[in-house]
Amino acid sequence: MALIAVLVYGSVLPGKHSFNADFLSAEASHSAKGIAAICIMLHHIAQANGFQESGELSVFKETGFLFVGIFFFYSGYGLLKSLRTKPLYLQSFFKKRILSVIVPLYVMNGLYAVFNLIAQAKLSASQWILSLSGLVLINDQAWFLIAILIQYAVFYVSFSVSKTDRRALVIITAAVIMQMAFFIFWGHFAWWAGERNWWTSGSGWSSARWWMQPCALWFQGEWWVNSTIMFPVGIAFAMHETKIVSYFKKSYWIKLAALFALTAVSVYGASCALSRMSYWSEFSSGSMGRLKKTVCLSAQTAEVFFFVLLTVIFKMKQYAVNGVTRFFGSITLEFYLMQRMAIRIWSFVLSNGQLHVCVFALLVFSTSVVLAVPFHFINTKILFLLKRGAAPGGSAQH
């Protein structure tokens, strides 16, 4: 009910025969990302053991990537809009875009390192070094930072070397598809590190080193790639925004209903694919099962495409801007990155049966906010100092 209230309160509604002209404005986009951040938190909470046993929040259990798709869409859309409206945008790209991800990444690494020390986590020297460097994830939910950095880098190179926007978009789309193909080849763990099908033997996992375990390295997990297609889609939308909006304005409700139907069909199709084939085919068949992974990934790619497009087109008629969406829109990244820590803090109590699942959810939510606010403050201060130092006449020039 609280989430519904957030989605409705402060709604921007046009007249009966009108549309929201600013449904893709910065304020509307930040509000949408704020709501998506809350839904991603609910997805992470739904995966906790207590919630899987009770069935609470089950609707969010497999839908996290849909809301991440919203972030990729708005990232691609915003980059293209900035490129077209801001002079010499690519020349300041590192300072404005790359630093805004790198700084939170390394601040987060430091915070999680302190947390692991307090929690007495058992990490080898190589794990500590690679985790602090960012070459492996100290926070397994922080994959988005690496994924978006890769998309930013590809965007910068593509638009720097391409003579046309269309050619740059082709390069970016090809890069995303290559990442998908890499995951299908790479799988969920270091299958190549031992004897053939070593993980199927009784002693396979007990003798495996930490970097051979599931999802220890980059791109070991479908969540790295099952929503990234929305980054080039966001760019394409920005390129053809006038035509797309004009198209949906004609017979709007019929086309919205068609989008809803396509979304429902894609959700059902993806659910069938995952239940019958599974991404984790290495464990069900003793082989990599790359065809099964390809089918599952293709089904979820269609699912996230129609879901995000439906969400964006719906905003032509309704979207909410209120204090809650503004607040979470301003700390989306920090709120997302602190969720794993909050869940780890309270999971021990939940697993011992000392906490009702609803209380657990509220504690995780509030703890994530409490951690995110100072985290955001630290990031903002560091970015301010770095950008001021890098500017002409700044302290870094002397």
Side-chain angles (χ1 to χ4, degrees):
M1 292 299 295
L3 181 59
I4 293 174
V6 171
L7 292 170
V8 174
Y9 182 69
S11 291
V12 179
L13 300 170
K16 183 177 180 180
H17 301 290
S18 302
F19 296 89
N20 290 317
D22 59 348
F23 75 102
L24 283 168
S25 66
E27 182 179 48
S29 300
H30 283 308
S31 292
K33 288 189 287 187
I35 295 170
I38 295 173
C39 292
I40 291 170
M41 184 211 67
L42 294 174
H43 162 70
H44 288 148
I45 290 176
Q47 292 183 320
N49 290 334
F51 277 86
Q52 294 197 42
E53 294 168 2
S54 68
E56 301 275 353
L57 297 178
S58 59
V59 68
F60 289 98
K61 184 179 176 182
E62 305 296 340
T63 58
F65 78 103
L66 298 177
F67 301 106
V68 177
I70 291 175
F71 281 90
F72 279 117
F73 175 87
Y74 283 119
S75 294
Y77 177 87
L79 288 183
L80 198 281
K81 282 292 187 179
S82 296
L83 180 65
R84 284 185 166 179
T85 58
K86 299 178 181 179
L88 305 176
Y89 180 68
L90 290 179
Q91 293 185 16
S92 60
F93 193 79
F94 177 83
K95 181 174 66 175
K96 291 183 177 179
R97 289 290 185 173
I98 303 297
L99 276 181
S100 65
V101 179
I102 289 179
V103 167
L105 171 64
Y106 284 103
V107 172
M108 178 205 70
N109 285 349
L111 294 175
Y112 272 82
V114 172
F115 177 76
N116 282 337
L117 288 172
I118 294 173
Q120 298 181 340
K122 296 180 180 179
L123 300 177
S124 66
S126 59
Q127 281 179 282
W128 276 113
I129 294 170
L130 292 173
S131 295
L132 290 173
S133 69
L135 295 176
V136 300
L137 298 178
I138 195 169
N139 169 13
D140 58 5
Q141 292 177 356
W143 64 268
F144 177 80
L145 292 178
I146 308 300
I148 199 63
L149 276 174
I150 293 171
Q151 313 316 323
Y152 282 175
V154 173
F155 178 91
Y156 175 81
V157 172
S158 300
F159 279 95
S160 295
V161 303
S162 300
K163 295 182 180 180
T164 64
D165 289 356
R166 181 175 295 181
R167 186 175 297 176
L169 178 60
V170 169
I171 296 173
I172 294 167
T173 305
V176 169
I177 293 173
M178 287 174 62
Q179 292 168 44
M180 294 177 175
F182 181 70
F183 157 69
I184 292 170
F185 168 78
W186 196 234
H188 290 95
F189 53 86
W191 52 268
W192 39 266
E195 297 180 359
R196 182 178 175 83
N197 293 350
W198 60 264
W199 63 94
T200 61
S201 67
S203 60
W205 291 114
S206 60
S207 60
R209 285 167 284 185
W210 70 265
W211 53 269
M212 297 169 65
Q213 302 292 331
C215 308
L217 306 176
W218 289 5
F219 283 95
Q220 289 182 335
E222 63 276 2
W223 46 87
W224 283 84
V225 295
N226 60 1
S227 58
T228 50
I229 192 64
M230 297 316 298
F231 183 76
V233 169
I235 296 172
F237 196 104
M239 286 182 180
H240 307 287
E241 181 178 349
T242 301
K243 292 181 179 179
I244 294 172
V245 171
S246 177
Y247 170 78
F248 279 102
K249 281 182 177 180
K250 298 174 183 178
S251 303
Y252 173 81
W253 292 109
I254 294 175
K255 291 173 180 175
L256 186 69
L259 264 182
F260 181 84
L262 288 169
T263 302
V265 169
S266 65
V267 169
Y268 177 76
S271 177
C272 289
L274 267 66
S275 63
R276 295 178 183 180
M277 298 185 186
S278 173
Y279 279 111
W280 297 80
S281 48
E282 305 98 325
F283 298 96
S284 60
S285 61
S287 63
M288 293 305 295
R290 294 191 176 95
L291 178 59
K292 294 180 180 179
K293 287 181 173 60
T294 302
V295 172
C296 291
L297 183 54
S298 299
Q300 285 200 318
T301 297
E303 184 181 7
V304 72
F305 173 81
F306 287 117
F307 173 81
V308 175
L309 185 59
L310 174 66
T311 301
V312 172
I313 298 305
F314 179 75
K315 285 174 58 185
M316 291 174 63
K317 278 292 185 180
Q318 187 274 337
Y319 67 86
V321 176
N322 53 58
V324 175
T325 61
R326 288 193 186 96
F327 173 73
F328 284 99
S330 67
I331 62 165
T332 49
L333 188 60
E334 291 86 358
F335 179 65
Y336 159 72
L337 294 174
M338 289 295 103
Q339 289 171 19
R340 169 54 79 191
M341 188 180 295
I343 289 172
R344 286 176 62 186
I345 289 171
W346 296 109
S347 286
F348 176 77
V349 182
L350 179 66
S351 64
N352 282 278
Q354 302 175 27
L355 212 59
H356 189 276
V357 289
C358 291
V359 177
F360 171 80
L362 290 172
L363 287 170
V364 169
F365 183 89
S366 57
T367 303
S368 298
V369 173
V370 169
L371 294 171
V373 171
F375 183 21
H376 177 73
F377 176 80
I378 294 170
N379 291 335
T380 301
K381 288 297 182 183
I382 293 175
L383 284 168
F384 173 77
L385 293 173
L386 289 175
K387 291 177 181 180
R388 186 179 66 174
S395 60
Q397 303 296 319
H398 298 283

